Every structure is written in structure tokens, then in C-alpha cells.
Amino acid sequence: MSAPIAVSAIAPEKSLLRDSARDHPGLFAGAVLLLLVIVAALAAPWLGTVDPQAIAVLDRLETPGREYWFGADLIGRDVYSRTLYGARVSLQVGLGVAALALSIGLLIGLISGFSKAADTVLMRVMDGLMSIPSVLLAVALIALTGASLGNVIIALAIAEVPRVARLVRSVVVSLRGQPFVEAAITAGTRFHLILWRHILPNTIAPLLVQGTYIFASAVLTESILSFIGAGTPPAIPSWGNIIAEGRTVFQFAPHIVLFPGIALSLTVLAVNLVGDGLRDALDPRFVQRG
Amino acid sequence: MLAYALRRLLSTIPVMAIVALLVFSLLYLTPGDPAVVLAGEQASETDIARLRTAMALDKPYAERFLIWVGGAVRGDLGVSVFSNRPVIELIVQRLEPTVALTLGSLLIAIVLAVPLGTLAAWRSGGALDRIVMGFAVFGFSIPVFVLGYLLIILFSVHWDLLPVQGYRPIAYGVGPFLEHLALPALSLGIVNAALIARITRASMLDVLNQDYMRTARAKGLSTSRILIRHGLRNAAVPIVTIIGIGFAMLISGVVVTETVFNIPGLGRLTVDAILRRDYPVIQGVILVFSLTYVVVNLLVDLSYGLFDPRIRY
């Protein structure tokens, strides 16, 4: 283990991505599926959708057919349009939570890894946070701060921070004892340079993998929160909200629950596949095993 | 062993204290006067004043925390803002369905996942392995409420085999109790099984490559004996660990599953409390769930010695 490790953690990625379809079918399938969801979210207005909020009471609970591809909901809104627009909410939440949790967790993990005094306090707080089931923690935060997309993202990020902080801390602690870091310290390299050149590059790969899992779990948890009525405001067509609205009539109009449910499952599946694939591709042990 | 158990038990006290502090402080992290937040938008000035005195919100922060913790230790979690009844009473009333659902789904998860994960590792790379791993990835990606509705549509609406929703206490007979518990426990069990099956397979793969497994085969032991006595026992520690960690997911799942199946348990109590902003109830339920999680993981830690006699305390 010498300085080049910082490079080797990133360099193989390019060649692996090129051959990914052959070497990493899971990663490839996940990436394609995720790309489809992203395209659907971005291009939602041009994919044969109508206004997702447009009400047509006469068409309420219409079954899937030529006019309503995924059927209509309780007040005659088009479930297909709502499902496509719902992808926007889920992707925003996934990205927002991952970015926020990774940055706060990175900061706490770095402090914890370098300062013994801060470590004891921070890690005990993280232990405590981890003992509170994430859905309940998020629910309590949202119940108090009020339901908005921003608050959902903050609440879910807080629940994910401990795992990131612990991961970063373990990377820092194991690197601190490595000869190349000790050599840099002996050579009088300034702290911020050690951090920038030797520590941070080595956190990228594990954080990338962790980020995808956070993304998947945030999408899932957001839908759970919306479903139980403590998440994204009901006016926004998120998948959890659409399913919650279809809850009372699912026995004779299952399409309202089914289509957003399938979209939700496929999105989480795609992100999980990408996460598993990245983990295998970026972990040198897995590469050697072939 | 006893000394270790005691030490481990003591080490959970600081964690629980931090959980209590976090749960308690949540209310004060939010902007604004907590009494106004709790009373809701339609509350009058007198309502707010009454609430402030009732919840001792006029006292200093540290004193309030000590009052709350002091009560919690003695089993007094305060009084519900909505129903004016002790929180602990509400929790005890709703305990049975939640315990039944949790244990039921845990049982289904273990019974499904451990044999499947073991067989997948034994035939790794084969068709069975692919099917099991495929099931694991899908099970991990499908939200429990989507799976719950799928199962209701299939088993209750389409085939008319099981009741759609609801719960029957065990006191009204084991038959109806199990009929009502079957689908919720299955939905939650399948999702949890995905996680456990993955770890079982990975752990068994490690063990199957060990020299003593070859020796066991060479001795002419039967496959089932090799897999269970020599394999599973040595693979048990990571499996038990993931069951403990997965318990947090199970708790979140319980809240959702109770909503899907209209089960009057702790999950419904939580959801109702959130919708009514009944903060003493929210605090109490979160504290009870977190305590359960910490205790389960304490038991998991202590169980290591049972599976692996090399682990001594």
C-alpha cells in the first residue's frame, strides 16, 4: 500500500464500465433501468401524459385502457401521468438524501477519525441515533417540522448520517496507520494536503457504494412516509401518496396501488443492482476473485 | 459469561440515555414554542396555556428532561394530549398485535431464509442459487406495503382464502388469530427473509471452503449433517447478527404493515399519534421501539457463545 492506491481506487472504473455489460450484468441492467426512470422523470411532460392534477370526476376509477393507460384514480386523475411525475419526487428525494447524508456523514466521520476527544462523544451520539428505527425518527421530525419535500429530505438524511460517519471513520482510522500516511506526516506534509491527497480519495469508492444504498433506502422510506400520511404533502403526486389515495379502493380498483407500486419497486431494484455492481466492481477483492 | 452479560447490560445504559435525550430533544429542535406546535393550528390561547402547564413546558429544559426520564424509568411516559390517558396504558393495550406480527414475520423470515441461503451456497453458481439470489434482490426492493397489497389481491380478493384485513386477538381462538396474521406476517417476513438469505449464503460460502468441511465429507457424513451440524453452526454468528440489525427494518415494517392490514397495534398508534401531533405518545412509542431494538441486539451479542464455543466472555 503506497500512494498509488489513491489512483487505483478510481482508475479501473473506466475500463470496467466499458466492459460492464459482459463482466457486470447486474450493474449494467441496473444502470439501464435507472436511466429509463431518469428519462421518464425528466421527459414526463412529453411522454403522452396529461396534467397529473387534472380532475375528471366522470372517469373516476376508470380501469386501464386506451384512454387511461394505468387507469384513473378516485377523482379521475390519470394514474399514468401521476406515476411518471412521481418519478421526479422519488429521484429528488433519493439524490437529496444521498448528497446531504454523505456530506454530513463525511464531515462527522473525518472529525471523529482524527480527534480522539470528539470521537467518543460523536460516536455515542451516532450509536443513539442508530438505535432509533429510521422511519420513526423521520416521522417524529416531520410531525414536528411540518410536511414538506425539503423536511422529508432532511429527516431521512439525519437517519442515514450515522452509517456514513462510521464508514468514513473506519476508513480514516485504518489509513492513519498506513505507512504512506505516516511517511507523509514525517515528511512534514501539511494536514489539509494529507487529507486532500491521501484520505479523501480513499473514501470515494466506499462512499459511492454507500450513496447508492442510501438512495434506494431513501426512495423506499419516502414512499413509506407518504403512505402512512407523514411525508410528502398529499398535493404532490409521489408514489407513496398515489398508493395511499388508492388504499381505500384497492379491492375493486387495484390499478391505483399496483402501477406506482411497480414503478417504485423497479426504481429501488435498479438502484440496488447498481449499488451491488459498484461494490463488486470497486472492491479489489471481488475483482481478483473474478 | 454472567459477568460479561452484566457488563454488556450496563453498556446499554449510556446508549439508552442518549436515545432518551434525542427523543426528548426532538421537540425542542424544531423552531417555535413547543406548546404552540403541540396544540396545533386551531388551538386557542387558553388551550396553549393549559398544555404548557400540563407538560411542564414552563420549567427549564434540564428539569423537564429529568422529570420525563424519571417518569420513564418508573414506567410513566406522560399523558396523551389527544385522549388524556397515560401513554403507557395506550402502549400496553396495543402490544399484543404488534408482538404477534413481529414474532410471526421473524419466524417466517428465518424459516424461509436460512434453508434457502444454505442451499444457495451449497449449489453456488447453479440454478437454485440464481433463483434464491434473484428472490433476495427482488424481496429487498419491493416495499412491504406493495407486497402486502399484492398478497391481499391474490389470497383474499382473487382466491378468497384468507380475510382481507383486521386482527383477532389470540384469546378469541387460535384459528381466526392465525388466519388474520398469515398475510401480514408473510409480507413482512418475505422482505426480511431477503436480507437474511443473502447473509446466510455469504456466510455459508465462507464456511463451505474450510478444511473441516472436506474432512466431514471424507468421513462419509450425510449431506444434511454436513450442512447443518458442521456448516450452519459455524456460519451462525453473521446470520444472528443480521437478524439483530434487520430488527430495526422489521420495526419500520411493522408500522407500515399494520396500516395496510388495519391492525390495531403500536404501529397504528404511532401513525394516529403523528396525524394528531400527539407528541407524548410519539415519544413513548419511539422510546419503547428503540429499547426493544437495543435489547434484541444485546441478546444477539450474548447468543454468540451458544453457537461458537470459541467465543468466551
Side-chain angles (χ1 to χ4, degrees):
Chain A
M1 289 263 195
S2 56
I5 182 119
V7 184
S8 71
I10 306 163
E13 202 183 348
K14 216 185 273 174
S15 60
L16 282 172
L17 277 180
R18 197 170 47 220
D19 305 326
S20 72
R22 198 186 58 230
D23 295 344
H24 302 276
L27 177 62
F28 186 73
V32 169
L33 202 53
L34 187 60
L35 207 65
L36 282 177
V37 178
I38 295 172
V39 167
L42 291 177
W46 302 283
L47 290 174
T49 56
V50 295
D51 178 3
Q53 310 285 25
I55 296 168
V57 186
L58 286 179
D59 294 337
R60 62 194 297 265
L61 301 180
E62 191 68 47
T63 45
R66 286 191 53 177
E67 194 178 351
Y68 292 100
W69 294 351
F70 292 179
D73 72 1
L74 271 166
I75 48 175
R77 290 174 299 193
D78 180 30
V79 176
Y80 169 71
S81 306
R82 292 175 70 72
T83 303
L84 281 202
Y85 280 94
R88 293 183 165 191
V89 181
S90 287
L91 292 182
Q92 270 178 53
V93 169
L95 266 181
V97 172
L100 200 60
L102 288 184
S103 21
I104 302 174
L106 178 65
L107 190 70
I108 295 180
L110 287 178
I111 296 173
S112 204
F114 281 111
S115 154
K116 272 243 160 60
D119 186 38
T120 322
V121 178
L122 285 175
M123 282 303 122
R124 288 297 82 73
V125 174
M126 293 299 124
D127 283 349
L129 264 183
M130 266 165 102
S131 304
I132 306 177
S134 59
V135 167
L136 292 181
L137 181 66
V139 146
L141 284 170
I142 294 162
L144 291 165
T145 50
S148 76
L149 201 56
N151 284 344
V152 169
I153 291 174
I154 294 172
L156 291 180
I158 290 176
E160 296 286 354
V161 161
R163 269 164 274 270
V164 182
R166 279 176 161 261
L167 179 71
V168 174
R169 178 184 174 274
S170 72
V171 172
V172 173
V173 169
S174 75
L175 283 178
R176 236 180 19 197
Q178 294 289 337
F180 72 91
V181 174
E182 283 178 353
I185 296 171
T186 317
T189 316
R190 267 175 302 173
F191 179 70
H192 71 268
L193 279 179
I194 294 180
L195 196 66
W196 186 249
R197 279 194 199 146
H198 301 298
I199 307 287
L200 283 180
N202 283 298
T203 62
I204 292 175
L207 282 185
L208 203 61
V209 175
Q210 188 72 16
T212 58
Y213 292 134
I214 293 176
F215 191 116
S217 132
V219 169
L220 211 53
T221 315
E222 184 278 328
S223 72
I224 289 176
L225 293 177
S226 301
F227 174 71
I228 61 178
T232 312
I236 302 174
S238 80
W239 290 334
N241 278 337
I242 306 172
I243 295 172
E245 285 154 13
R247 196 152 67 94
T248 47
V249 291
F250 82 93
Q251 287 189 52
F252 47 92
H255 59 265
I256 307 174
V257 168
L258 222 51
F259 287 108
I262 292 170
L264 176 59
S265 309
L266 284 181
T267 306
V268 177
L269 176 68
V271 182
N272 275 334
L273 284 176
V274 170
D276 284 357
L278 280 179
R279 186 196 57 200
D280 296 354
L282 295 175
D283 188 334
R285 281 179 306 158
F286 279 98
V287 174
Q288 274 160 20
R289 252 185 239 166
Chain B
M1 174 72 195
L2 199 67
Y4 174 78
L6 222 60
R7 231 181 19 251
R8 248 327 248 106
L9 193 65
L10 286 176
S11 75
T12 60
I13 292 175
V15 176
M16 279 320 294
I18 288 165
V19 170
L21 188 64
L22 286 173
V23 169
F24 178 79
S25 306
L26 283 177
L27 182 54
Y28 304 95
L29 292 176
T30 57
D33 181 346
V36 178
V37 173
L38 286 179
E41 278 153 24
Q42 283 108 31
S44 67
E45 277 301 314
T46 33
D47 285 341
I48 295 172
R50 192 175 52 87
L51 197 68
R52 189 174 285 129
T53 342
M55 287 188 67
L57 290 171
D58 42 4
K59 301 218 170 64
Y61 176 81
E63 196 183 333
R64 280 197 307 265
F65 178 62
L66 288 179
I67 293 174
W68 185 69
V69 166
V73 172
R74 282 179 280 117
D76 174 13
L77 291 168
V79 176
S80 156
V81 178
F82 177 78
S83 67
N84 246 329
R85 287 170 54 203
V87 173
I88 192 75
E89 197 184 302
L90 296 173
I91 290 178
V92 170
Q93 264 176 11
R94 305 288 196 101
L95 211 53
E96 188 201 302
T98 302
V99 171
L101 176 58
T102 311
L103 292 182
S105 48
L106 201 58
L107 191 73
I108 289 175
I110 293 171
V111 167
L112 265 179
V114 174
L116 283 180
T118 307
L119 290 177
W122 180 49
R123 286 276 175 258
S124 88
L128 186 69
D129 185 26
R130 276 160 207 262
I131 294 170
V132 172
M133 288 328 282
F135 156 79
V137 177
F138 276 98
F140 206 64
S141 303
I142 189 165
V144 62
F145 56 96
V146 174
L147 185 61
Y149 282 125
L150 279 178
L151 291 179
I152 296 179
I153 290 168
L154 275 181
F155 285 89
S156 308
V157 180
H158 203 66
W159 293 327
D160 201 18
L161 288 172
L162 290 162
V164 176
Q165 285 169 322
Y167 176 78
R168 290 287 173 282
I170 198 162
Y172 290 86
V174 177
F177 167 76
L178 287 179
E179 267 184 3
H180 283 84
L181 194 63
L183 286 186
L186 194 62
S187 334
L188 196 50
I190 287 177
V191 172
N192 207 31
L195 182 70
I196 301 174
R198 259 172 100 126
I199 302 294
T200 304
R201 176 181 176 273
S203 183
M204 276 301 278
L205 271 181
D206 278 349
V207 171
L208 288 176
N209 285 325
Q210 301 286 330
D211 289 342
Y212 56 76
M213 295 305 285
R214 199 180 46 215
T215 310
R217 260 197 305 278
K219 280 200 302 188
L221 293 182
S222 68
T223 309
S224 64
R225 203 175 163 84
I226 294 174
L227 285 180
I228 296 169
R229 280 288 289 273
H230 294 253
L232 212 49
R233 185 158 177 186
N234 283 296
V237 168
I239 301 173
V240 183
T241 308
I242 199 68
I243 292 174
I245 295 171
F247 199 76
M249 218 177 71
L250 203 60
I251 291 173
S252 301
V254 163
V255 176
V256 183
T257 312
E258 289 186 359
T259 308
V260 172
F261 289 92
N262 264 333
I263 298 171
L266 281 182
R268 276 311 302 173
L269 182 68
T270 318
V271 174
D272 291 341
I274 294 156
L275 300 178
R276 295 166 181 156
R277 300 168 83 88
D278 195 344
Y279 205 71
V281 176
I282 301 180
Q283 271 179 336
V285 176
I286 295 182
L287 196 66
V288 167
F289 273 133
S290 306
L291 180 68
T292 317
Y293 177 64
V294 171
V295 169
V296 165
N297 279 288
L298 173 70
L299 292 177
V300 164
D301 258 22
L302 294 178
S303 76
Y304 292 161
L306 293 179
F307 296 108
D308 190 345
R310 283 169 304 183
I311 299 176
R312 293 234 179 84
Y313 306 107

